Amino acid sequence: MATPKKVFCGGAMLASAILLAACGTTTGPQSLSLGGNPAASCAALVAPVAPVAIGLPSGAATIDSATLVPAAALAVAERGPTPAARITPPTPAHCKVLGRIAPLDAAAPPILFQVNLPLVWNGRSVQYGGGGFNGVLITGLALVPGARFEQPTPLAQGYVTYGTDSGHQNVQGQPPQAFALNDEALVNFAHASYKKVRDVAVALMQRAYGQAPQKLYFVGSSEGGREGLTMAQRYPQDFDGIFSRVPVINWTGLQHAGTRNGIATMGEGWLRPAQVQLVHNAVLASCDTTDGVADGIVSNPVACLQRFDPASLRCAAGTSGDNCLNDAQVQAVRTLRSPWRSPVPLANGVAEYPGWGIGGEGTPAFAATGGWNAWWTGTAAPTVPPQQSNGIAWFYGSGALQYFYARNPSLDVRNYRAEDFAARIATVSQLMDSTNPDLGAFQARGGKLLMLEHMADYAQSPFAGIRYYESVVARMGRDNVDRFMRLYTAPGVDHVGAGAPANVDMLGTLADWVERGRAPAGLQLAEQEVQPPFRVVRSRPLCEWPLWPRYTGGDASQAGSFQCSR
């Protein structure tokens, strides 16, 4: 084990950016060194972590490798599934630990994890959440969800970072939902793997630096956002601060509603890409300027949902084509924007999944980036089984119904009836639906929670997260909630951060609130070019729900020209 060593700041210039980051911290945790011989200190971390160090029934954690990794430079790819995924941020030299946690069921896969230990540690740690159905190791080396592109990663700031595959590994030729046929793998995906990996990471920090982390943070987007809320609800003592972006909350409702929305586009209901653009343009014509400026963003989507009726695009009798919608297509749009009401009880008294929002329908699609063509309609009508050209929500939802609820890979989801699987739905809902509004234990331990919903998100309904926040307020009271929780909304932004200003330093904001008592204020969203120097194209104020940005005059590309309004 390395001998803890203080870092003294001032006097000589520090050569390492990581030292500089540590010295910039005037309050909060004390900085510690990995030792005078970091390579040897790193290599010494290979001993297993015993099950007793893990706060759930578990096998041991085996360390597969512990290697000192040299610093790496910034790299930007030409294309990527999300804007941020194109960026491989600069990474300092660090100790990379790879390992696995053994299952209790011999038929279940292990939980893989990666822990990154900086040479000089600021006493903090960040656990990264996953995405989709996971099955891919989260390295903890990427930008924090929603971070500005030029911002140093947590590791570069001196945090220990870590992530997991959530307890299963994707297998070529198998649907990503197939792991759910194993009970332990499903429980790991639902919640247990994140707790277990957190505890192993803490044990490794204690071993490496002679001290447990003084502050622990969790950041996640989409599925990772659900994981963050899960930690606040199930393991409220484990984290000081949590950032949850576009969480796939009310998970059971989402999978059923997403499948319903796909079925609505079968046959005559499918919208061709040109018709998606038609709807996009019509929405902007109806709602864009209601915030005071024409900027291609629907700033007040709640009002726009009432203002825009897809029937205004209905084809005249005897006509058809890309310049209008038939009756089935009008109904499909209405289905997307209407709630799915569960015929069986869901966890925490939830009875329905809300309809989707409005705006950003035509945001260009590539992989997970984009509007309807990415997530809902795809570039071809949904098929059974799904094909690559279908919308992602159809692929996700129909597979979830087969493997999570019916547990029948050959199920034709067009014939699925939730009533036939009521007991199984109740079981999975209790596991997966992070909708418990009682955050009293998390608040009592001093935890802080930031949520961010993108209002042009078609992977999940932003109103699901909004309803969860409102349920917490109803349960705990506005004054209490304001002491530890904030919900923000970003108009015009798709699921992954494209379409409108979306980038903001939420980890720094969270740490300020946790460690210095500075409640969030004056936050701004930036839209940036995805090439160095990552120039800001335009910015907007980041408004707390239910406020939205109204133009007040001046340069419409600047956040200062807008005011958060009701």
Side-chain angles (χ1 to χ4, degrees), residues 53-320:
I54 300 172
L56 292 173
S58 178
T62 302
I63 306 303
D64 295 328
S65 64
T67 310
L68 191 66
V69 177
L74 168 73
V76 179
E78 286 298 318
R79 303 204 76 176
T82 73
R86 291 175 54 189
I87 299 168
T88 301
T91 304
H94 62 281
C95 176
K96 174 183 175 181
V97 179
L98 295 173
R100 63 191 62 228
I101 302 173
L104 298 174
D105 173 8
I111 301 168
L112 302 185
F113 61 85
Q114 177 168 332
V115 180
N116 309 296
L117 303 157
L119 304 190
V120 177
W121 182 40
N122 66 14
R124 303 168 176 88
S125 70
V126 177
Q127 181 167 355
Y128 282 63
F133 290 93
N134 290 335
V136 175
L137 178 62
I138 300 301
T139 66
L141 299 176
L143 294 169
V144 168
R148 289 176 62 113
F149 297 151
E150 78 278 7
Q151 187 175 352
T153 63
L155 181 62
Q157 297 176 53
Y159 289 79
V160 168
T161 66
Y162 53 103
T164 176
D165 66 352
S166 84
H168 65 275
Q169 301 79 48
N170 288 337
V171 177
Q172 185 71 28
Q174 287 187 6
Q177 304 94 337
F179 73 91
L181 297 177
N182 179 276
D183 287 340
E184 185 172 344
L186 176 54
V187 171
N188 282 335
F189 175 61
H191 62 88
S193 66
Y194 320 112
K195 163 65 174 172
K196 291 182 179 182
V197 168
R198 179 262 185 206
D199 291 351
V200 169
V202 168
L204 289 171
M205 285 179 254
Q206 180 76 48
R207 185 184 296 176
Y209 303 105
Q211 178 179 297
Q214 297 174 51
K215 297 297 177 184
L216 298 98
Y217 297 94
F218 192 105
V219 297
S221 186
S222 190
E223 161 58 24
R226 184 198 68 86
E227 294 160 17
L229 293 176
T230 295
M231 302 314 284
Q233 294 167 27
R234 288 185 181 266
Y235 306 107
Q237 303 304 318
D238 281 4
F239 291 93
D240 298 282
I242 294 170
F243 170 43
S244 172
R245 186 179 80 155
V246 297
V248 288
I249 197 170
N250 188 352
W251 200 88
T252 295
L254 171 61
Q255 307 310 325
H256 285 80
T259 306
R260 175 206 66 172
N261 297 344
I263 291 173
T265 63
M266 288 184 165
E268 293 295 314
W270 182 66
L271 282 78
R272 298 180 292 278
Q275 292 173 307
V276 170
Q277 191 63 42
L278 171 74
V279 175
H280 176 91
N281 294 340
V283 167
L284 289 180
S286 180
C287 302
D288 184 4
T289 59
T290 57
D291 64 354
V293 65
D295 59 359
I297 299 174
V298 176
S299 293
N300 186 358
V302 174
C304 187
L305 281 169
Q306 303 301 317
R307 183 183 182 95
F308 176 76
D309 184 350
S312 64
L313 299 175
R314 181 178 277 118
C315 299
T319 65
S320 63

